[in-house]
Amino acid sequence: MPRPPARKEIARSILQPDTSLLDVIDSLLNQGVVLNADVILALAGVDLVYLRLSALLCAADRVMETPSRGRRG
Amino acid sequence: VTDPKTDQYYVYAILDARVRPPRIRGHRLEIVSVADFFTAVERLTEAPEMSETSLRDQHQIVVRLGRAARAILPVRFGAFVGALELARVLRLRRRVLRRALRDVRGMVQMTVRVFGTAERRGGVRDAASGTDYLRARAESARVVLPSVALAIREAVRDLVVSERVTAGRGAVQVTVNHLVPRGRAARYRSAVARAIAGTSSPAVVVTSGPWPPFAFTPDFWSAS
């Protein structure tokens, strides 16, 4: 008996009508401007390590400033 | 009364212009001018605890701000900073922020998630040198776009200004974020639907948006 032709598989498209939790988590925990980097560590569950990377960044920028540009507060 | 030495802000977004803050129950939003930018903040005594409710609240706030603003850079959850620190960070990253705000002005983000099992590249084999090893590692870590995502990319090419692809986790094979001009979201969705209908992939594709440009914010920590 001949086999029936294989049904063509097609991709299924879903237009999301509302905000999904996946969108919320992706957008707010994985994306967006990071203002204080200790957030990254907190989110990663590394609560024993607390590095004020923002302070470090500021310090690095000040060190790397050329004398001619002067310092800005 | 404000005192930059003691004020603490919970920051939602950075804007290029002042907008009317949205009214969201349980939140008192302000638009504060900081270091040549406008920031959407709330004066709190501590950062909100992470919960589905607080995440959904923040998402709603940023989405509402995004509708009101021409250019918005959403801030990641948990940005609780002193006023002085906020001013310092924004000043130090002024150039990067200005460029990012310019790039997203008048744009929205559309998100396409392809569900399924990710295609994986081969592992790192014997390398003749350290450089070869690192190249092989980089290659193996590269995201492989499934055929349906390639079809979508082609279909929306004329509508898209920028693209960010991230490897999926769990059931998500890959996430593709596109920056598109406002007002083109409907055309984008139609183009995606047509592309999907024309492929022979069994994948499930979920399209969402328009969103504020969450995926198109600058990375402070590697930016110069």
Side-chain angles (χ1 to χ4, degrees):
Chain A
M1 190 172 171
R3 298 173 75 179
R7 187 164 58 91
K8 186 188 176 193
E9 287 192 289
I10 58 166
R12 280 181 293 149
S13 170
I14 298 170
L15 286 176
Q16 212 169 265
D18 209 350
T19 307
S20 73
L21 187 56
L22 187 56
D23 272 316
V24 172
I25 290 172
D26 239 10
S27 303
L28 295 179
L29 302 186
N30 298 327
Q31 298 163 353
V33 175
V34 177
L35 285 180
N36 44 349
D38 42 307
V39 168
I40 300 172
L41 299 174
L43 291 175
V46 190
D47 50 7
L48 290 176
V49 182
Y50 183 78
L51 293 173
R52 296 289 291 174
L53 288 185
S54 55
L56 184 67
L57 177 80
C58 294
D61 272 52
R62 280 161 189 266
V63 168
M64 290 164 70
E65 266 186 346
T66 57
S68 59
R69 284 168 58 197
R71 284 188 167 201
R72 274 185 264 185
Chain B
V1 178
T2 63
D3 181 353
K5 287 183 182 162
T6 57
D7 280 353
Q8 297 275 303
Y9 292 143
Y10 186 70
V11 189
Y12 291 97
I14 301 164
L15 313 165
D16 73 338
R18 188 179 289 280
V19 298
R20 186 191 293 267
R23 289 185 176 185
I24 308 275
R25 182 183 284 193
H27 296 274
R28 293 187 62 177
L29 294 165
E30 296 174 52
I31 306 298
V32 178
S33 173
V34 181
D36 295 340
F37 297 96
F38 291 94
T39 54
V41 304
E42 200 171 0
R43 281 171 216 267
L44 300 177
T45 53
E46 58 184 339
E49 284 197 15
M50 193 190 297
S51 67
E52 183 177 342
T53 304
S54 59
L55 285 167
R56 283 193 183 277
D57 271 10
Q58 179 158 336
H59 196 266
Q60 188 191 2
I61 287 167
V62 177
V63 167
R64 295 268 299 271
L65 284 165
R67 287 185 195 139
R70 286 285 293 165
I72 180 171
L73 296 175
V75 170
R76 200 170 294 207
F77 184 87
F80 182 63
V81 294
L84 284 177
E85 185 178 4
L86 176 62
R88 189 164 59 232
V89 171
L90 296 190
R91 205 173 293 125
L92 284 166
R93 290 291 175 251
R94 181 188 287 141
R95 240 184 309 171
V96 176
L97 285 169
R98 282 261 163 260
R99 194 166 54 231
L101 280 168
R102 191 190 61 218
D103 291 346
V104 301
R105 185 167 298 133
M107 303 284 167
V108 290
Q109 173 183 313
M110 298 300 291
T111 299
V112 171
R113 290 194 181 85
V114 180
F115 286 76
T117 309
E119 292 171 34
R120 300 216 172 272
R121 288 178 183 272
V124 180
R125 294 181 186 160
D126 293 339
S129 67
T131 307
D132 288 347
Y133 173 80
L134 290 173
R135 281 195 182 124
R137 278 294 296 263
E139 178 63 16
S140 69
R142 203 155 62 84
V143 180
V144 182
L145 278 183
S147 59
V148 67
L150 291 171
I152 290 169
R153 174 189 270 175
E154 186 58 33
V156 300
R157 183 188 295 275
D158 293 341
L159 302 170
V160 169
V161 172
S162 186
E163 179 184 79
R164 297 274 190 282
V165 177
T166 52
R169 276 177 290 188
V172 180
Q173 189 175 349
V174 67
T175 301
V176 182
N177 291 296
H178 282 141
L179 197 63
V180 304
R182 285 181 193 210
R184 289 196 186 171
R187 282 175 62 193
Y188 179 94
R189 281 197 216 96
S190 302
V192 169
R194 277 197 305 275
I196 293 168
T199 70
S200 58
S201 159
V204 173
V205 179
V206 177
T207 309
S208 68
W211 305 120
F214 289 102
F216 297 88
T217 51
D219 178 4
F220 273 7
W221 311 99
S222 63
S224 58

